[in-house]
């Protein structure tokens, strides 16, 4: 939108917003914009004139920023529920997400751009693989890979941080998914 500015010129104010998808994890992403001053009234440091540009042409400059994605974090959309976030992350436990984010007052309607903690960070030890860690923490291989797209399944570097979402009460490993549980067996 536009508005009045000093010196009788128009001032245009623009807001650039970007919401990363689940695929944007654990890395830095550069973003650049090209700015133009058609009135010649703004102070644009580091001008980048196009070839053949003269004083009657708009002054142009590029500005770049780097977005750094935090490991084990998720940016919620306004009105999204913790249940929806949990489904988004392959059936995570929404109550566990709520426990990891004590500042959330209403799990049924999150604030726009609420930065959520998905789980703790685990540092890889010698002999770890994604499959072994997924089994250890009660996660699916798909969930482990989605949370850690930068990790190589079989050759993890010792000390490499991984995002994990351990199940609070994983079923015993000898039970097949969906099988009935005999309470006496568990005692």
């Amino acid at each position: 939108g536009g508005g009045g500015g000093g010196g009788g010129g128009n001032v245009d104010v623009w807001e650039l917003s970007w919401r990363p998808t689940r695929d944007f994890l654990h890395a830095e992403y550069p973003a650049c914009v090209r700015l133009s001053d058609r009135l010649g009234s703004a102070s644009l440091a580091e001008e980048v004139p196009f070839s053949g540009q003269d004083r009657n042409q708009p002054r142009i400059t590029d500005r770049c920023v780097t977005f750094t994605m935090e490991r084990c974090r998720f940016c919620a959309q306004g009105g999204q529920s913790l249940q929806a976030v949990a489904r988004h992350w392959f059936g995570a436990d929404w109550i566990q997400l709520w426990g990891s984010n004590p500042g959330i007052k209403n799990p049924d309607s999150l604030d726009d751009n609420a930065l959520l903690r998905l789980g703790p960070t685990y540092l890889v030890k010698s002999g770890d693989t994604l499959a072994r860690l997924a089994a250890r923490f009660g996660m699916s291989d798909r969930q482990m890979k989605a949370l850690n797209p930068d990790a190589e399944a079989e050759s993890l570097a010792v000390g490499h941080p991984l995002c994990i979402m351990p199940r609070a009460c994983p079923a015993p490993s000898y039970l097949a998914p969906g099988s009935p549980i005999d309470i006496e067996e568990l005692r």
Side-chain angles (χ1 to χ4, degrees), residues 22-72:
R22 182 170 57 200
D23 301 329
F24 288 93
L25 294 174
H26 321 312
E28 293 183 345
Y29 298 93
C32 297
V33 294
R34 177 157 283 177
L35 306 171
S36 167
D37 175 15
R38 293 174 193 242
L39 300 176
S41 60
S43 172
L44 295 176
E46 302 173 31
E47 288 183 17
V48 181
F50 289 127
S51 62
Q53 183 177 1
D54 62 31
R55 291 179 180 222
N56 297 326
Q57 296 294 317
R59 294 186 303 166
I60 297 172
T61 188
D62 291 335
R63 294 286 186 248
C64 297
V65 296
T66 300
F67 293 97
T68 302
M69 311 313 294
E70 294 184 57
R71 187 173 295 279
C72 276

Side-chain angles (χ1 to χ4, degrees), residues 6 92 97 161 164:
L97 285 176
I164 59 170

